[in-house]
Each structure stands twice: as structure tokens, then as C-alpha cells.
Amino acid sequence: MSSMKDAREAIMVGRRTDGTRVNRPLSPHLQVYDMLQITSGLSIAHRATGVAWSVGLLVLAWWLLAAAAGPGPFATVQWFLSSFLGMLMLFGMTAVAWYHTLAGLRHLMWDAGYGFDLPTTYRTGRAVLIGTGVLTVLTWLIVIIAWG
């Protein structure tokens, strides 16, 4: 009779190089994450902004194809992007770009082995959020001044 309570436990058992038995950890899933923690929220937001970047690339491809197709299609895209909905989308994509960039730099810092202690994790998380807001507004101020 086996001492395992669940058949899935068999795939969690491994051996170290010296032959000793070790239990492998389970990967966390959404039920494990506390959405009110800054670390979980920022991790999920980083993934969501990656998806949003994909949508932004489709809009960029539409804009480039319209520019290549001629003045009529390009005017249509320009009309949409200059509408309220288009400007809101462009503003959101700017925030997505800055957030994903700053969170990516934070991940690179982690890959180098820095910033794993909780105070630094929370401090860099807040810096990503504040930096996203400041850089998004600064970008749009520069755009508005350049257009004006």
C-alpha cells in the first residue's frame, strides 16, 4: 500500500545529485496570490501590459499599412487616432509602454540577483508605479508642446 494520498504527488518527487530524495514545489496559481499585495498585482499587471503591447502593435501595423496604402486610408487612421477614443487609447498605450519598460528593468535587476528583500521589493514596486505616472504625463506634455 502506498503512503501517497494523491497520485499527483508521484510527479513531485525528485532526486538530488547525491541521490537523496526531495519533493519539488508546486507552481502557484491564481488562488495562491493575494491580489492586494503589491508584488502579485505588479506581476499580473506586467503580464497584462505585455498583452496590451500586442494590441498596440496591431494598431501600429494598421497605421503603417494605411500610410503605405495612400492618403485615403491614412486619413482614416489619423481621424481615428485623433478622436477621443483614439487619444485615450494612445495615452493608455503610453502608460503601458512606460509600465512594461520599468517593470522589465525591475525584473532585469532581479535577474542580476538584486532587490529580493521585501523592503526593496516594495520600494521598487512603488517606484515603477510612480515612474509610470510621471513619465506618461511628461511624455504627453512633450507631445502637446511639440504639436502646439
Side-chain angles (χ1 to χ4, degrees):
M1 183 87 165
S2 173
S3 65
M4 281 190 261
K5 296 178 182 103
D6 187 348
R8 292 175 291 178
E9 289 182 28
I11 62 172
M12 295 168 36
V13 176
R15 300 248 177 228
R16 291 193 173 111
T17 55
D18 65 357
T20 57
R21 181 183 152 118
V22 64
N23 286 332
R24 295 185 187 114
L26 287 174
S27 294
H29 44 77
L30 288 178
Q31 289 87 356
V32 174
Y33 290 120
D34 179 5
M35 298 303 173
L36 297 178
Q37 285 183 334
I38 191 169
T39 52
S40 299
L42 293 178
S43 175
I44 292 167
H46 185 67
R47 293 172 184 156
T49 56
V51 173
W53 255 124
S54 301
V55 174
L57 287 175
L58 291 174
V59 174
L60 175 63
W62 178 39
W63 183 78
L64 290 171
L65 288 170
F74 186 69
T76 302
V77 175
Q78 286 293 92
W79 170 83
F80 172 74
L81 291 177
S82 63
S83 70
F84 177 75
L85 182 61
M87 293 296 277
L88 190 63
M89 186 184 71
L90 289 173
F91 185 85
M93 289 308 302
T94 306
V96 161
W98 281 118
Y99 178 83
H100 201 73
T101 299
L102 294 174
L105 290 172
R106 182 176 181 231
H107 278 272
L108 283 175
M109 193 173 80
W110 288 344
D111 290 341
Y114 301 107
F116 282 114
D117 59 298
L118 279 179
T120 304
T121 302
Y122 282 98
R123 190 170 44 255
T124 57
R126 285 190 290 273
V128 165
L129 292 173
I130 292 167
T132 297
V134 168
L135 290 170
T136 300
V137 169
L138 186 63
T139 300
W140 275 88
L141 283 174
I142 291 169
V143 167
I144 290 168
I145 290 169
W147 272 345

